[in-house]
Every structure is written in C-alpha cells, then in structure tokens.
Amino acid sequence: MSVTTRDSGGASATAGRVGGDRDPAIFGIRGLAALALLTVHVAMFSGLLGTKALGTPRPPSNFLGAFFVSGLPSFIGVFFVLPALYLYLPLARAIIAGRPRPPQGATMVRRLMRLLPAYYLMYLVVLVALNRDAIDGPWYVLRPLLLLQIYSPSPFAPHFINGMEVSWTVPSMVQWYLALPLIAWASHRFAARGATPVARARRLLLPVPVLIGIGVGWLFFVKGNGWDNRMVFWWPQGFAPTIGIGLGLAVLLALSQVSPGDTPRLLRVAAVRPGLFWVAAIAVYLVNCARPFSVIGMDAIYSTSGLFMTYLMVALFGLFASLPLVSPGATRTRVVDAVLTARPVVHLGKVSYGVYLWHFAVMHFYLQPGAVFSGAVRPIRELYGTAGFWELETVTLLGAVLLATLSHRLFEQPLAALVDAALARRRRPTPRPPALRRAPLLTTATVDVLAPPQAGAAVAAAVTDRDAIQTNLVDLERHLDRHLLAAAELTGESARRWAAARADLAQLWTVYHAYSAVVDEVVRPFAGPGQPSGAELARVSALLDQASVVVTGPPPPLARRRITDDGRVELTVAAAVARMDELFRGVAEVVTAAEAVWETAGARLDRIDAALAHRAGADGADPELAVRQADRLRTAVRADPLARWRDGAVVTDDLDDFLGTLEHLVA
C-alpha cells in the first residue's frame, strides 16, 4: 500500500509541480536543450559552423543557418539551473521553515545512481569500440572512471577521448551535487538566525553572489593564464554562476512554499506574465546568435569579452526559461505549452541525458564505421565537413534517441528501481523532530494501534485534509482584498480588526506548519514498498490520536494568561484542524467583509462621481463643497471599511443620502 501526497511545502499543483511528479513541460525544456546542443555539435563537424581551430580559417557553409545555430549553446543553462534548483529546494525549504535539514544520504545515492551508470555504460562502449588502440596504461582507463578527465595535465589543454568529447559535464555536475548540501550546511547556522521566513530566505541567498563571483573570476583567471577557452567550462567553477541561479530560484520557491503570503515578486510576475520571460529567453538566444565581441557563425569564442558574453547568455537563458515553469500558480502560454508538452519533445526530455551522452559516439559510428572494427579511429575534428549538416543531424538525432531510449528502459530504470528498493529496505524509523521531544507521546500500550488498512485510510484522509487546508490557505493569502488591507493605512475599527486578523493569520500558519510536519511523519512509513512494521503502526496511531502537534509562540496577553503559560500549545491532529478552521474563519470574515464594503460602497462612490460630473454648472450648493464631501467619504471608505459592516450587511446610508441629493440637483 502507498499513500500519494503533494509536497508539504505548499508547492502549487500547476507550473513545475516542484516536489511531486514533474510537469511534462520540465521534460520538454530539457528535451529542447538536448536537441539544441546536439545540433550545435553536428553543425561544428558538418561545416555549417565555421572554425579557426583547424589552422586555416574555414567560413560557415551557410551563414544564415550558422547564425541561428550559434545561439543554441545558451540552452546548456537549463541543464545546470534546474538540477541545482531541485536538489537545493528541500534543503532551503527546511531551513526557511525553521526545521532540521533533511538527511541527504539516500537522496544523493539516488541522484548519483541516475547519473553515473548511464555514463559508465557509454564509457565502456566507446572505450572498446573507439579507443582500444589508444590505451597506453591503467591511468588512461581509470581517469574517466574516477571522473578526472576534466583535470587535464599541463599545459591545461583539453584531452579528448573519442566518443566522450562532451563528457566533461558529468564530473562537473557530480561535484556540484556533492557541493550543494555542503553549501546548505555552511549557510544553515547563519540563515537560522533570521526571525522570519523572509529573513531566513534573504540570508540563504548569500551564496548566490559568491558563486557568480567565483565563476566570473575563474573565466578571467583562465584567459589571463592563456589556457584553452574550453577550460572555462570544463572545471566545475565554470558553471558556478548558473548553479548559483538555480540555488537562488530554489530559495525563492522554498519561501513561497513555506509562506505563500511572502512569495517573491519575481515569482509572482513570472506566474502572471510568463510570456515576458519566454520573450526574454528568446532575446538572450538571439543576442548569442549575434556573438557580441566575437565572430558570427564561427564555432568558438575568440576574445575574453566574447567569452564573457556567452557566459552571461547561458546563465540568463537558464533563468528566464526556468522561471515560467517553476513559479507557483504560473499560467500557461498556449504556444509554448503546446511545444513543450508535445509527446516527442517530452520523450526527448526524459531521455535527454542519454541523448547528451551518446550523440558524439553516434557521429563517430556514422562517419567512420569501418574504424570500429579496424581500431584505426580518427579524432572527430579530422572528419570535419565529410557529411552534410542535415544528413549528419538526422542520423545523429535518430541514433542518439534510440541508444538513449534503450539505455533508459533496459538499464537505467531497472537499476534505479533496484536502488530505490534497497534504500527502502534499509529505512529506519525517522527520529522524532525536536519540537516533539519535549512532550513525548504516551507509550503504545495506551494507544489503540490501527491495523494496516485502517492506518492507511487514516493517513490518506490526513493527507487529503492537509492538501485542502493548504489550498484554502494559499487562496486566502492570495486574495486581492487581503493584500489591499495589508497595504492600506487603516484607521478606527478596521485598524483594530485587521491587526487582530494579522495576528490570527500568523498563528494559523504556525499551527499549519506544526500540523503539516506531523502529517509528513505519518506518511513516511507508507511511502515506500511493503507494509509498515508494528512499531511504525504504533507510532502512526499515537501521532494521529494524541497531542502530537506542538505549537510554540509568544504567550497570550497578560489578561488571559495562566501562571504556567509559556506560549507552548500541544494539540491532537483533530484539535489542530479545528483550531486552524477557527482562525481561518475569523480572518476570512474580515477579508470578505472589507471586500463587500469596498465593492458596495465603491459602486455608490462611482455614481457620486458621475453625478458630480453632470452637476457642473447646475444651480445649488457650492460644487467645490460637494467635491470635498465626496473625497471625505471616499477616504473614509478606504481607511475604515469595516466601520460600515454591521450585522452582516454594508451600511451606506450617508452615501445614499449624498447621492440622492446630487441626483436631485442634476434632475
């Protein structure tokens, strides 16, 4: 039995589905990125792109085609931004929510097992098929196995292994996988000192400019020492800015999940106007096509400024292309969505890693098939221009997709399933969170332990309730009139009631986070294969039945305080839901009352404005006096709307009297 649940952090069910099943559009953008990079490499060796790397400069075979292909390297930013976002997100969410960081051991094993086996399979094939005559000792074989091929010996010129010319990204990404939890560990203590989720999120953003600075510094260091341009990207620090952007997006997204009311403006804009970011991504691509400070239609960057511009374009494209896909509640752009969710594109995205790994090997197999048997394999640069672009593009794409699909379905997926099963078998009961240690639950002897079917049904119901609560809380946070109340300079009755409602809303989120943590804990025993153990069932039963939701905060006001009150409240799951319902209703009443007043009174004020406009020049009272009276009424409605809310109805007597007088004068 298993329980399906959304991410407890509050991820939207729309764009990105971060923390749950991936949105097909996420696979779609990865598929386009894989296609873009494959096309760039085909263009390089078919002669569509010109080159200066072979001695005599060779111009592009088709200038217009070379122009549009020149911008495609921008897509590589997607391959670094999105993995960094997904890996760092649960760490950032825990820190921002004030909870311990989740353990990373099983997560890291799963990620590495999804990255390395396919790489090693490809390496074994190309080692035997394309490089067996080049083996000159154990180190030749071991260096790619140990992911050290990117660290070339002096004079720091890249060393290519046939069929693995693009494999430098694998060691780089593995090292970033290991580095991101360390960055979270190093940032945790500093970020935890923030008093609010917003403060903690701001502190967590500190590594972002540091990583950008490291990447830019590395670029100028490489160029200053006269090293090969490719060394900028081969070593991990070359993509530090792009990783930093992914880390920053993870922090912003985590904040929106922990505290939806504090969703950063960047995510809000991307959710409402995704088209702006797609246009920005296209603009970045076109700028890269023009190769500023470099040579249009050529295969490499020939100046430090040109290399820096490409560096910038890669990072910005990763940012702009990712934001509309991961921002909570993002609306869909019809054309973009149709492209990204098309079945061939989604499939290409699912096997994009394999396409990336295999496409150079496919070019070798096609351009020199006899060499596979003879062993006389030539480096691919020596095969420049021996096949036309469309011929080589078609063969390489079909061959790479075929090999990637076979690897994915026959090797990677079965191996991943075995690893997941092994990790599930080794799972141990999760230690009780620190918030629960102070009030240990009663021993299981005093608890009616639920049978597995009963426990599963109870846990599924708890997840359903939690998801409904989360949806309603997000709706309340995003309600237009809640934002209007928060932004208005309120007075009188409205100021008093909104201050109380704000306090209740803060308490509502505090109770929700404590309650959600308990729901997370009861879900864990049912999340993997197999039945929960007896001890796990007893733990789940106790959590659902006893006062397991522990809420901490300031003690009540002195007039309502007991001598033992310290701001700590212990609630059962049912009592927590009831408390949240009580608080929600109170806040919603204030917001909807203000909405009703502003809507009803606003309509009267609009009619007053129209009457004043028609009254110009009519006989009667001073028109300026009438205008000032209308302004006073409008200010009063804006500043103290709740003064007009009585017994569930909007009081508009003074507005109606004034409006009647004006309309009488006009008539």
Side-chain angles (χ1 to χ4, degrees), residues 576-661:
V577 172
R579 178 59 178 152
M580 286 188 286
D581 183 61
E582 177 187 358
L583 293 168
F584 179 85
R585 287 174 180 273
V587 178
E589 181 184 356
V590 171
V591 172
T592 54
E595 178 184 23
V597 172
W598 280 330
E599 182 177 348
T600 303
R604 301 290 199 284
L605 289 168
D606 289 342
R607 290 175 60 187
I608 288 172
D609 288 340
L612 285 172
H614 284 89
R615 184 177 178 275
D619 295 334
D622 182 1
E624 291 186 4
L625 181 62
V627 170
R628 287 196 296 271
Q629 175 66 9
D631 289 341
R632 282 195 295 269
L633 289 171
R634 179 175 288 101
T635 300
V637 169
R638 186 186 303 117
D640 193 5
L642 298 181
R644 296 176 175 274
W645 183 255
R646 299 173 193 169
D647 300 323
V650 181
V651 177
T652 59
D653 294 346
D654 55 342
L655 297 173
D656 292 336
D657 291 343
F658 185 53
L659 177 61
T661 301

Side-chain angles (χ1 to χ4, degrees), residues 262-331:
D262 295 316
T263 297
R265 181 174 178 81
L266 182 64
L267 297 186
R268 292 183 187 274
V269 174
V272 177
R273 304 290 298 276
L276 292 177
F277 292 85
W278 292 121
V279 169
I282 293 172
V284 166
Y285 158 73
L286 291 174
V287 169
N288 209 25
C289 288
R291 289 287 174 92
F293 309 107
S294 188
V295 182
I296 297 175
M298 301 299 282
D299 68 345
I301 308 301
Y302 303 111
S303 68
T304 301
S305 55
L307 189 60
F308 177 76
M309 285 298 298
T310 298
Y311 213 50
L312 180 64
M313 295 300 103
V314 167
L316 288 179
F317 188 91
L319 172 65
F320 294 140
S322 300
L323 268 169
L325 299 178
V326 302
S327 296
T331 55

Side-chain angles (χ1 to χ4, degrees), residues 361-441:
V362 171
M363 283 194 283
H364 276 283
F365 296 150
Y366 180 70
L367 294 175
Q368 45 183 341
V372 174
F373 301 100
S374 68
V377 179
R378 297 159 60 192
I380 200 168
R381 60 183 291 169
E382 296 181 10
L383 305 173
Y384 178 90
T386 57
F389 170 76
W390 287 113
E391 172 192 352
L392 190 57
E393 173 82 356
T394 302
V395 170
T396 304
L397 179 60
L398 293 177
V401 170
L402 176 61
L403 291 175
T405 302
L406 292 174
S407 173
H408 182 70
R409 293 184 176 174
L410 302 180
F411 181 62
E412 298 167 49
Q413 282 187 325
L415 184 59
L418 289 174
V419 171
D420 287 342
L423 291 173
R425 286 194 297 270
R426 292 175 59 87
R427 188 182 69 241
R428 296 290 184 266
T430 305
R432 186 180 300 172
L436 300 178
R437 288 177 186 159
R438 182 176 168 186
L441 299 177

Side-chain angles (χ1 to χ4, degrees), residues 368-635:
Q368 45 183 341
V372 174
F373 301 100
S374 68
V377 179
R378 297 159 60 192
I380 200 168
R381 60 183 291 169
E382 296 181 10
L383 305 173
Y384 178 90
T386 57
F389 170 76
W390 287 113
E391 172 192 352
L392 190 57
E393 173 82 356
T394 302
V395 170
T396 304
L397 179 60
L398 293 177
V401 170
L402 176 61
L403 291 175
T405 302
L406 292 174
S407 173
H408 182 70
R409 293 184 176 174
L410 302 180
F411 181 62
E412 298 167 49
Q413 282 187 325
L415 184 59
L418 289 174
V419 171
D420 287 342
L423 291 173
R425 286 194 297 270
R426 292 175 59 87
R427 188 182 69 241
R428 296 290 184 266
T430 305
R432 186 180 300 172
L436 300 178
R437 288 177 186 159
R438 182 176 168 186
L441 299 177
L442 299 178
T443 62
T444 56
T446 65
V447 176
D448 291 331
V449 179
L450 299 172
Q454 295 172 315
V459 170
V463 170
T464 300
D465 288 344
R466 194 265 300 279
D467 288 349
I469 291 169
Q470 174 184 288
T471 299
N472 287 317
L473 285 177
V474 171
D475 286 346
L476 177 59
E477 285 284 0
R478 292 179 175 173
H479 198 286
L480 174 61
D481 291 277
R482 188 203 72 79
H483 289 285
L484 292 176
L485 283 168
E489 296 182 3
L490 300 174
T491 60
E493 178 74 4
S494 298
R496 182 187 65 78
R497 293 188 62 185
W498 177 239
R502 284 173 53 188
D504 286 348
L505 185 58
Q507 186 184 11
L508 175 55
W509 278 108
T510 301
V511 176
Y512 170 77
H513 288 308
Y515 155 83
S516 184
V518 172
V519 175
D520 284 343
E521 192 167 353
V522 300
V523 165
R524 286 192 189 100
F526 296 90
Q531 296 285 355
S533 66
E536 288 174 324
L537 287 173
R539 176 69 178 160
V540 168
S541 302
L543 287 167
L544 291 173
D545 184 64
Q546 298 185 15
S548 56
V549 180
V550 181
V551 181
T552 58
L558 189 60
R560 302 201 309 267
R561 192 181 307 173
R562 295 182 180 181
I563 193 66
T564 57
D565 281 342
D566 61 356
R568 178 185 177 87
V569 179
E570 298 168 9
L571 304 167
T572 64
V573 168
V577 172
R579 178 59 178 152
M580 286 188 286
D581 183 61
E582 177 187 358
L583 293 168
F584 179 85
R585 287 174 180 273
V587 178
E589 181 184 356
V590 171
V591 172
T592 54
E595 178 184 23
V597 172
W598 280 330
E599 182 177 348
T600 303
R604 301 290 199 284
L605 289 168
D606 289 342
R607 290 175 60 187
I608 288 172
D609 288 340
L612 285 172
H614 284 89
R615 184 177 178 275
D619 295 334
D622 182 1
E624 291 186 4
L625 181 62
V627 170
R628 287 196 296 271
Q629 175 66 9
D631 289 341
R632 282 195 295 269
L633 289 171
R634 179 175 288 101
T635 300

Side-chain angles (χ1 to χ4, degrees), residues 191-205:
R193 294 175 185 168
T196 64
V198 173
R200 290 191 285 272
R202 287 174 179 166
R203 288 168 174 254
L204 268 185
L205 289 172

Side-chain angles (χ1 to χ4, degrees), residues 22 235 252 333 536:
R22 294 285 173 85
W235 285 29
L252 299 183
T333 304
E536 288 174 324

